[in-house]
Amino acid sequence: MSLPSGQELRITEATLRTVVKDIFRSAGSNERECDLVADHLVEANLKGHDSHGVGMIPAYIASLKAKELTLNHAPRVVNDIGGALVLDGGLGLGQTIAFDAMVMGIERAKKTGSAIVALSNSHHIGRIGHWAEQCAREGLVSIHFVNVIADPVVAPFGGKVPKLVTNPIAIGIPRREAEPVIVDFATSKLAHGKIRVAYNKGVPVPDGTLIDAAGRPTNDPAAMFEAPTGAILPFGEHKGWTLAFACEALAGALTGGHAMKGPVTQKAIINNMLSIIVSPDALGTQATYLSELESFVHWAQLPVEGQSPTVLLPGDPERATKAERLAHGIPVDRNTWLQITAAGASVGVSEAVLAAYAG
Ligand code: NAD
């Protein structure tokens, strides 16, 4: 691989999709799964969340090789009580499992007005906003609580050692004749993958993000990747911790999955997700919902003298990044590219083919 040290590649969306599909096809995914995983990972990169983009491929391939990830798997219905579906992901590829779970939830919400989807035991389901967007495309409001079963990396508020992971929450809010508002964040100060990206790039993380193994504040991302390791702090002090706790309760426990209870032995990143999907149309509040929402957006964004730039809505930064990256390509740092190339080679994709994609 001839990429000079420190260089960042710019790869087009189409090429990156081809890379993802080549690797997963070679690993054993069918064409539908190749499309779903490429859609998801490349969209995360386009939206600026490189932590959940193609840089996850090496972790997914490691899970596959450890026999902790099943390709071409569908969620199993454990219980169907009409208003709620309980599903077991069976460690299937999260991009397929969560997509299929949302298809089932969307169908149910359209029929009955609302649906709860309690999904447990899926392999990593990536950028949670992706699932809120899937619901919003159908005109449905959705709320998603997720917990993560993996090596603990986040310390509770007031704690000094990691006890949980970065438990994300997403909310999808469709609008009238405008792109949906997508609220989507980790309950930790930074997503773990963003610390990995900083580590790969050799740059510090912002103040207040990490503590080292002795519980002292640090800006060095190596604190999460080189022993003895420290912890990420929750965002918003006690408030982030309370939401992270809610994710353990709702996604980990209520779905019938698992909450964190100690160090893990598996390589795989496992997600459980509780989704609440609501049809404003079926509630009979559609007209009010849409007009009140637009009134609030108008009011929140009214120009104020001396205030610049304009107030953004959740989802706006991702849309702006996507427009820029569609025009100029997706940046992939050297270390991430080398890791992807190695993962591809390990499932039989020629390194020469991958190097050619990198130009
Ligand atoms: P983040 O801190 O970048 O926050 C993103 C949210 O804030 C988005 O809704 C965005 O639109 C909004 N936002 C950002 N700037 C804004 C502004 N100026 N005005 C208005 N809104 C603004 O996100 P994060 O915490 O780093 O999470 C990144 C991704 O990681 C998410 O997609 C999340 O789902 C994902 N994640 C997944 C897992 C998992 O286990 N699958 C775990 C953790 C995080």
Side-chain angles (χ1 to χ4, degrees), residues 37-100:
V37 69
D39 282 352
H40 187 109
L41 297 182
V42 175
E43 187 69 13
N45 285 113
L46 283 172
K47 293 210 155 127
H49 293 294
D50 296 330
S51 53
H52 288 71
V54 295
M56 289 306 297
I57 292 173
Y60 292 2
I61 298 300
S63 294
L64 184 67
K65 291 194 174 281
K67 302 201 181 334
E68 293 172 353
L69 164 59
T70 316
L71 298 175
N72 310 315
H73 195 66
R76 178 174 66 83
V77 179
V78 178
N79 201 1
D80 179 348
I81 58 166
L85 288 162
V86 181
L87 306 176
D88 184 333
L91 283 187
L93 188 72
Q95 284 67 21
T96 303
I97 295 294
F99 181 88
D100 287 348

Side-chain angles (χ1 to χ4, degrees), residues 63 68 91 119-125 146-153 163-168 247-249 251-253 255-273:
S63 294
E68 293 172 353
L91 283 187
L119 171 65
S120 67
N121 203 26
S122 172
H123 194 265
H124 188 245
I125 58 175
V146 176
N147 87 323
V148 191
I149 303 298
D151 271 336
V153 289
K163 293 286 167 122
L164 68 162
V165 194
T166 51
N167 292 358
C247 289
E248 290 296 323
T255 59
H258 296 282
M260 287 293 286
K261 49 182 89 65
V264 300
T265 49
Q266 91 276 353
K267 267 191 189 311
I269 307 166
I270 299 171
N271 279 143
N272 303 292
M273 173 163 72

Side-chain angles (χ1 to χ4, degrees), residues 90-114:
L91 283 187
L93 188 72
Q95 284 67 21
T96 303
I97 295 294
F99 181 88
D100 287 348
M102 290 303 99
V103 167
M104 294 158 93
I106 287 166
E107 190 192 8
R108 188 61 56 93
K110 284 186 169 176
K111 202 186 282 177
T112 63
S114 65

Side-chain angles (χ1 to χ4, degrees), residues 16-314:
L16 212 46
R17 284 180 60 86
T18 307
V19 169
V20 179
K21 289 169 73 167
D22 277 5
I23 293 175
F24 279 88
R25 191 180 298 111
S26 207
S29 289
N30 60 30
E31 280 308 303
R32 175 179 186 262
E33 183 156 275
C34 289
D35 282 335
L36 288 173
V37 69
D39 282 352
H40 187 109
L41 297 182
V42 175
E43 187 69 13
N45 285 113
L46 283 172
K47 293 210 155 127
H49 293 294
D50 296 330
S51 53
H52 288 71
V54 295
M56 289 306 297
I57 292 173
Y60 292 2
I61 298 300
S63 294
L64 184 67
K65 291 194 174 281
K67 302 201 181 334
E68 293 172 353
L69 164 59
T70 316
L71 298 175
N72 310 315
H73 195 66
R76 178 174 66 83
V77 179
V78 178
N79 201 1
D80 179 348
I81 58 166
L85 288 162
V86 181
L87 306 176
D88 184 333
L91 283 187
L93 188 72
Q95 284 67 21
T96 303
I97 295 294
F99 181 88
D100 287 348
M102 290 303 99
V103 167
M104 294 158 93
I106 287 166
E107 190 192 8
R108 188 61 56 93
K110 284 186 169 176
K111 202 186 282 177
T112 63
S114 65
I116 291 173
V117 179
L119 171 65
S120 67
N121 203 26
S122 172
H123 194 265
H124 188 245
I125 58 175
R127 189 179 72 89
I128 310 308
H130 197 88
W131 314 119
E133 286 163 1
Q134 188 179 342
C135 297
R137 277 196 295 278
E138 302 293 328
L140 302 170
V141 174
S142 64
I143 306 169
H144 310 261
F145 290 90
V146 176
N147 87 323
V148 191
I149 303 298
D151 271 336
V153 289
V154 176
F157 178 70
K160 282 194 185 302
V161 292
K163 293 286 167 122
L164 68 162
V165 194
T166 51
N167 292 358
I169 295 173
I171 304 174
I173 304 168
R175 291 178 62 191
R176 183 170 59 203
E177 291 165 23
E179 291 291 309
V181 172
I182 301 294
V183 175
D184 175 25
F185 54 78
T187 49
S188 53
K189 193 98 179 187
L190 264 192
H192 185 248
K194 288 187 178 167
I195 298 164
R196 184 194 72 233
V197 172
Y199 180 63
N200 280 344
K201 287 183 176 172
V203 297
V205 296
D207 287 349
T209 302
L210 296 179
I211 50 175
D212 66 16
R216 293 172 305 221
T218 176
N219 299 90
D220 186 354
M224 297 308 297
F225 297 97
E226 293 170 19
T229 49
I232 316 174
L233 296 170
F235 87 93
E237 302 189 326
H238 57 288
K239 298 182 189 186
W241 158 235
T242 62
L243 287 174
F245 184 93
C247 289
E248 290 296 323
L250 300 180
L254 187 61
T255 59
H258 296 282
M260 287 293 286
K261 49 182 89 65
V264 300
T265 49
Q266 91 276 353
K267 267 191 189 311
I269 307 166
I270 299 171
N271 279 143
N272 303 292
M273 173 163 72
L274 186 84
S275 300
I276 302 162
I277 307 172
V278 180
S279 162
D281 195 24
L283 288 188
T285 61
Q286 173 87 316
T288 312
Y289 163 73
L290 292 174
S291 68
E292 286 297 302
L293 186 57
E294 290 317 301
S295 302
F296 178 66
V297 168
H298 176 73
W299 161 240
Q301 293 191 314
L302 266 187
V304 173
E305 205 180 316
Q307 177 186 291
S308 172
T310 323
V311 166
L312 299 176
L313 303 181

